[in-house]
Amino acid sequence: MIGSTDPNLGIPCSSKAADRSKPKRLYQVWKGANRFFCGGRLIFGPDVASLFLSTLLIAGPGIGFCLKIHYKIKEDDDDYGRRFAHHVVWYSIMAVGAFLTILDLMFLFVTSSRDPGIVPRNSKPPELDEAFDVTTPSMEWVNGRTPHLKLPRTKDVLVNGHMVKVKYCDTCLLYRPPRVSHCSICNNCVQRFDHHCPWVGQCIGIRNYRFFFMFISTSTILCLYVFTFSWIIIIQGKGDDILKAMGNDFLSDFLIVYCFVVIWFVGGLTVFHSYLICTNQTTYENFRYRYDKKENPYSKGIIKNLKETFLSKIPPSMNDFRSLVQESEPMVVESMTSNPEGGIMNLKEKIDIEMGAKLAEENGFRLPEILRNLDYDGVDDNLKSRDEEGRISFDPYFSAEQDEAILHVQSSVVEDDTKTDKKVDEGSISIPSTTTQL
């Protein structure tokens, strides 16, 4: 009806329909947890705020190092000839430090603002013919939006002569291609998923792994550079006592301690990812599948692995976040959810129960905990079997012992009724019929 309103929200239905019919940019209706800037041109993770902390941890010591060298040049009291050559050397050292700092920040920003290789979601589960064209020994099945269609949880794919299992993603409604994994933080399936880096605030995947490695390796070089020249500044300080020189130069002391601590972290990451690149592994694969203990189906040799990481062409993004799309109607995904008792509860039923509990609490009536955890599965089946077979169906909310007790009582009642009927029948035969004569 025109002009009708939504009873729950109080919003005119016509205006809601008009909003849905109006095309929007893909990034405006994106179902992942990403955050977009500059009209969808820059994509970040949900924890993009950590990018500012990482920037401060890099830029702060870099600026402090450049300022220290500038003050050292000003404090030089040698003659003009030596001072000029001395200045050239230290200005060059300062320029290299500033360049490494800027380069490190650039790699950080590119890694964080780039699409890591997000796989587009499906609006519906795979088709029927595709679902049955699967060779898998898996006994787990997935019920999607079509209850009559059963999808195997995993299926086998041949990769470089090795059989690899790929899993079905309940969120993206697709079978994840090899080396694709779903990030629970960004809520996206990512190609060649490595890990979600909290310092970068983004997933690390096939499209930004190269820049991530350059970021951590540049951070390692920068820490070594600042650590080394901070020691040189202290050693060349006034006085022959190093401890006394360190007591008079707090900025150099801070840079030495800071770089010594950080280098263990970024240096260790650089060494670890260098090993992963040479063996063509990801962090996720290394911890989950342990390819160091078994054959890796993706390894092509050290040289080819290095070429694949640094010299291969980066694949284009599979999503055009600035494209115009039509906002679809909200849909309910009826996936099967296991309850703590081992039964299966439909997601829609689970939502109905939770909403009922919420409404009861809002009205001042708190639903008991036992009623929230009831398992309603199989009730309809029991009732149906009773109607068709004529047997006694047990209440699913009783235990096995209670069921046996009920069976015994009901059997006793049936036997007593049978005996009573039998006695009555025998008595009716032995008693002669009498008639009253008038």
Side-chain angles (χ1 to χ4, degrees):
M1 177 184 295
I2 299 177
S4 62
T5 59
D6 190 334
N8 297 326
L9 302 177
I11 301 175
C13 296
S14 58
S15 62
K16 291 168 57 179
D19 292 339
R20 292 196 188 99
S21 62
K22 184 179 179 181
K24 296 182 179 180
R25 303 285 184 183
L26 178 59
Y27 76 91
Q28 295 175 330
V29 296
W30 187 252
K31 296 181 181 180
N34 303 90
R35 301 184 63 180
F36 297 88
F37 296 92
C38 299
R41 294 177 178 87
L42 301 178
I43 173 174
F44 296 88
D47 47 350
V48 63
S50 61
L51 181 63
F52 297 99
L53 176 61
S54 300
T55 302
L56 179 63
L57 294 177
I58 296 172
I63 295 174
F65 176 73
C66 294
L67 291 176
K68 180 58 188 177
I69 294 180
H70 177 71
Y71 291 147
K72 177 176 176 55
I73 295 174
K74 294 296 183 181
E75 293 174 357
D76 192 357
D77 296 329
D78 292 338
D79 59 0
Y80 180 79
R82 255 186 91 184
R83 186 167 64 245
F84 179 77
H86 190 68
H87 288 178
V88 170
V89 172
W90 283 102
Y91 273 124
S92 300
I93 295 173
M94 183 176 64
V96 173
F99 172 76
L100 290 175
T101 302
I102 296 174
L103 187 64
D104 199 16
L105 293 175
M106 287 179 57
F107 286 132
L108 170 64
F109 182 78
V110 173
T111 304
S112 180
S113 63
R114 189 180 183 88
D115 176 13
I118 299 175
V119 179
R121 301 178 182 222
N122 286 336
S123 58
K124 58 182 180 179
E127 298 296 335
L128 187 63
D129 55 350
E130 181 182 351
F132 283 99
D133 188 18
V134 173
T135 57
T136 175
S138 176
M139 298 302 294
E140 298 183 66
W141 299 88
V142 180
N143 276 16
R145 293 174 180 169
T146 52
H148 65 279
L149 177 60
K150 285 188 175 182
L151 302 176
R153 175 65 63 181
T154 62
K155 66 178 183 178
D156 297 329
V157 177
L158 191 63
V159 177
N160 297 329
H162 298 79
M163 196 63 69
V164 177
K165 289 186 178 297
V166 295
K167 296 182 179 180
Y168 181 82
C169 181
D170 297 304
T171 303
C172 301
L173 301 179
L174 53 83
Y175 282 101
R176 303 167 189 165
R179 314 198 83 174
V180 172
S181 183
H182 191 89
C183 176
S184 59
I185 299 177
C186 293
N187 198 22
N188 295 312
C189 279
V190 180
Q191 293 176 292
R192 203 182 183 276
F193 176 77
D194 190 88
H195 69 288
H196 184 93
C197 181
W199 299 101
V200 174
Q202 179 66 284
C203 290
I204 307 301
I206 191 172
R207 300 191 70 249
N208 63 350
Y209 181 80
R210 181 182 305 176
F211 303 103
F212 170 76
F213 182 80
M214 298 303 295
F215 162 64
I216 59 176
S217 59
T218 305
S219 300
T220 303
I221 296 174
L222 179 61
C223 286
L224 289 173
Y225 188 84
V226 174
F227 180 83
T228 302
F229 283 100
S230 295
W231 269 114
I232 293 176
I233 291 174
I234 291 180
I235 293 174
Q236 292 183 354
K238 295 181 180 180
D240 297 332
D241 191 356
I242 295 180
L243 295 179
K244 184 177 180 180
M246 292 179 64
N248 297 328
D249 195 345
F250 296 103
L251 182 55
S252 296
D253 299 340
F254 169 77
L255 293 176
I256 290 174
V257 175
Y258 178 83
C259 292
F260 178 79
V261 174
V262 174
I263 198 171
W264 289 101
F265 174 68
V266 294
L269 278 177
T270 303
V271 173
F272 176 66
H273 281 276
S274 298
Y275 162 74
L276 294 180
I277 292 173
C278 292
T279 56
N280 204 336
Q281 297 185 65
T282 64
T283 303
Y284 179 81
E285 293 170 349
N286 181 263
F287 283 94
R288 183 176 180 84
Y289 301 112
R290 307 298 299 178
Y291 283 142
D292 53 344
K293 297 182 180 180
K294 59 182 179 179
E295 189 174 0
N296 183 5
Y298 307 106
S299 181
K300 305 174 184 178
I302 296 179
I303 303 299
K304 291 184 178 180
N305 292 339
L306 292 173
K307 289 182 178 179
E308 180 180 338
T309 303
F310 297 108
L311 301 179
S312 62
K313 183 179 179 181
I314 298 178
S317 175
M318 301 178 68
N319 302 278
D320 185 6
F321 294 106
R322 289 186 50 79
S323 62
L324 294 175
V325 295
Q326 196 73 28
E327 186 177 5
S328 60
E329 294 286 341
M331 301 180 65
V332 178
V333 182
E334 296 186 355
S335 61
M336 305 303 288
T337 305
S338 300
N339 58 22
E341 300 297 332
I344 302 297
M345 181 180 293
N346 186 278
L347 181 58
K348 185 175 182 299
E349 298 172 356
K350 184 178 180 181
I351 294 176
D352 292 340
I353 294 175
E354 292 177 353
M355 290 300 297
K358 182 177 181 181
L359 292 175
E361 292 179 1
E362 290 178 354
N363 294 329
F365 301 97
R366 180 171 181 82
L367 193 65
E369 188 68 24
I370 187 173
L371 296 181
R372 302 182 185 181
N373 300 327
L374 287 180
D375 183 8
Y376 294 94
D377 300 320
V379 176
D380 295 337
D381 297 335
N382 291 334
L383 295 177
K384 183 177 179 182
S385 62
R386 179 179 183 180
D387 294 338
E388 294 179 354
E389 303 176 4
R391 298 177 182 176
I392 299 174
S393 60
F394 300 115
D395 194 330
Y397 309 119
F398 285 94
S399 62
E401 293 79 1
Q402 291 173 326
D403 288 339
E404 294 178 358
I406 292 173
L407 178 60
H408 178 71
V409 172
Q410 291 179 343
S411 301
S412 301
V413 171
V414 172
E415 292 177 358
D416 293 341
D417 291 341
T418 304
K419 292 178 180 179
T420 302
D421 294 340
K422 186 176 180 181
K423 289 180 179 180
V424 170
D425 292 339
E426 292 176 353
S428 61
I429 295 174
S430 61
I431 298 175
S433 59
T434 59
T435 57
T436 306
Q437 296 180 354
L438 296 178

